[in-house]
């Protein structure tokens, strides 16, 4: 007869390297035939543990490139901002967009385009400093966390380093493909105090870099907000005007009198 049973349970790793296993161990103290007894049940839960690790990895990493995803970047950025505030440091957020990547995608196909994005991710990791963070925002857009900037102007040098990784052509399946990028940078604390604001302003600066002709970088300034707002408003008004048939076409003949 079993009486006064008390159970303790835990999960423990066992072994090293590839042979490492995760065991679910349950120890139950009981009385069996008037003797104090401990019954131990051991289950191999290695597969369950590996599946949980994969799910955790996917929740925080981009599936294609293996880089931190947008969620992970925001989390790291918030942590870096808290440290920068305590230490009085300057940090930067860079928004990197591969120029005209949709055209490349249409020409080479999705499979080659995906391999190109993996190569871009690799080059970006090689082009930044050791403590910087490279993340994939989505599509052909990447985010860089640039902590411990000595001063605002140092962000320009890092932008040039990033642009340099695109100078040599990418080679996929024996074919050379030349890519360029546009980069926008926002700097804490001048350009924003929280993660969302810095990413938004870096995005605005990237848009200005594209407007300036691509293959370059722009630092955020407060005037960009007004220019971007005007551009968005103008595009919206033009779209509505086209829908309502408010455009009137005038022909202006040009005649060569000779």
């Amino acid at each position: 007869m079993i009486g006064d049973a008390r159970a303790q349970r835990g999960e423990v790793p066992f072994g090293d390297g590839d042979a490492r296993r995760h065991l679910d161990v349950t120890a139950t103290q009981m009385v069996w035939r008037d003797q104090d007894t401990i019954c131990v049940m051991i289950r191999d839960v290695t597969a369950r543990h590996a599946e949980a690790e994969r799910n955790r990895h996917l929740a925080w990493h981009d599936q294609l490139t293996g880089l931190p995803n947008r969620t992970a970047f925001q989390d790291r950025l918030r942590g870096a901002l808290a440290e920068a505030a305590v230490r009085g440091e300057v940090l930067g957020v860079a928004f990197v967009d591969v120029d005209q990547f949709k055209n490349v995608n249409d020409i080479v196909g999705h499979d080659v385009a995906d391999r190109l994005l993996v190569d871009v991710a690799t080059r970006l990791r090689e082009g930044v400093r050791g403590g910087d963070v490279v993340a994939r925002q989505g599509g052909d857009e990447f985010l860089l966390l640039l902590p411990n900037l000595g001063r605002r102007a140092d962000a320009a040098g890092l932008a040039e380093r990033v642009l340099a990784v695109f100078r040599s052509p990418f080679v996929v399946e024996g074919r050379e493909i030349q890519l360029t990028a546009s980069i926008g940078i926002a700097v804490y604390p001048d350009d924003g105090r929280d993660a969302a604001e810095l990413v938004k302003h870096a995005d605005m600066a990237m848009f200005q870099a594209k407007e300036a002709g691509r293959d370059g970088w722009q630092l955020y300034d407060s005037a960009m907000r007004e220019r971007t707002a005007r551009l968005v408003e103008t595009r919206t008004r033009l779209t509505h005007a086209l829908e309502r048939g408010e455009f009137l076409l005038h022909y202006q003949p040009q005649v060569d009198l000779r």
Side-chain angles (χ1 to χ4, degrees), residues 31-254:
V31 177
W32 174 256
R33 294 181 178 178
D34 298 327
Q35 297 290 325
D36 290 335
T37 306
I38 296 178
C39 177
V40 178
M41 180 183 295
I42 301 176
R43 291 191 303 164
D44 189 336
V45 294
T46 303
R48 187 180 71 187
H49 190 274
E51 181 65 22
E53 285 295 319
R54 280 193 295 272
N55 290 337
R56 278 193 290 269
H57 181 83
L58 290 174
W60 292 91
H61 292 82
D62 174 58
Q63 192 169 358
L64 176 64
T65 63
L67 293 175
N69 60 19
R70 185 188 316 176
T71 302
F73 182 84
Q74 292 284 345
D75 184 71
R76 296 194 189 187
L77 176 54
R78 284 191 291 267
L81 284 170
E83 291 185 11
V86 171
R87 299 176 182 176
E89 294 175 344
V90 176
L91 69 80
V93 172
F95 203 114
V96 182
D97 183 271
V98 182
D99 293 327
Q100 298 180 318
F101 192 77
K102 183 183 183 302
N103 295 339
V104 175
N105 197 353
D106 292 341
I107 293 170
V108 302
H110 293 296
D111 290 342
V112 174
D114 282 349
R115 286 196 284 275
L116 270 173
L117 289 174
V118 173
D119 290 345
V120 168
T122 300
R123 289 199 188 184
L124 288 175
R125 280 195 298 256
E126 294 171 350
V128 298
R129 303 167 303 170
D132 298 337
V133 176
V134 180
R136 188 182 181 201
Q137 168 80 353
D140 58 356
E141 297 175 338
F142 297 84
L143 289 167
L144 309 181
L145 172 57
L146 311 171
N148 302 321
L149 294 177
R151 54 198 177 96
R152 180 183 177 87
D154 291 343
L158 292 175
E160 290 293 345
R161 285 179 55 170
V162 173
L163 289 176
V165 307
F166 291 89
R167 297 293 180 236
S168 57
F170 293 79
V171 180
V172 179
E173 295 184 349
R175 64 192 301 177
E176 290 189 357
I177 301 173
Q178 189 68 59
L179 298 176
T180 60
S182 298
I183 304 174
I185 305 172
V187 177
Y188 169 86
D190 295 346
D191 303 330
R193 296 280 179 167
D194 59 53
E197 191 175 28
L198 284 169
V199 172
K200 179 178 71 174
H201 289 169
D203 189 12
M204 284 185 183
M206 181 274 294
F207 181 79
Q208 292 296 321
K210 282 191 176 296
E211 290 289 304
R214 302 185 177 91
D215 191 20
W217 58 270
Q218 289 282 338
L219 271 171
Y220 175 81
D221 66 71
S222 57
M224 287 181 181
R225 180 194 295 271
E226 184 178 347
R227 289 198 299 269
T228 302
R230 284 202 307 268
L231 181 59
V232 170
E233 181 184 2
T234 300
R235 286 179 172 174
T236 302
R237 293 175 63 184
L238 287 173
T239 300
H240 292 328
L242 183 61
E243 293 170 349
R244 293 191 291 260
E246 295 176 348
F247 286 101
L248 180 63
L249 179 62
H250 292 271
Y251 289 96
Q252 181 184 18
Q254 293 183 350

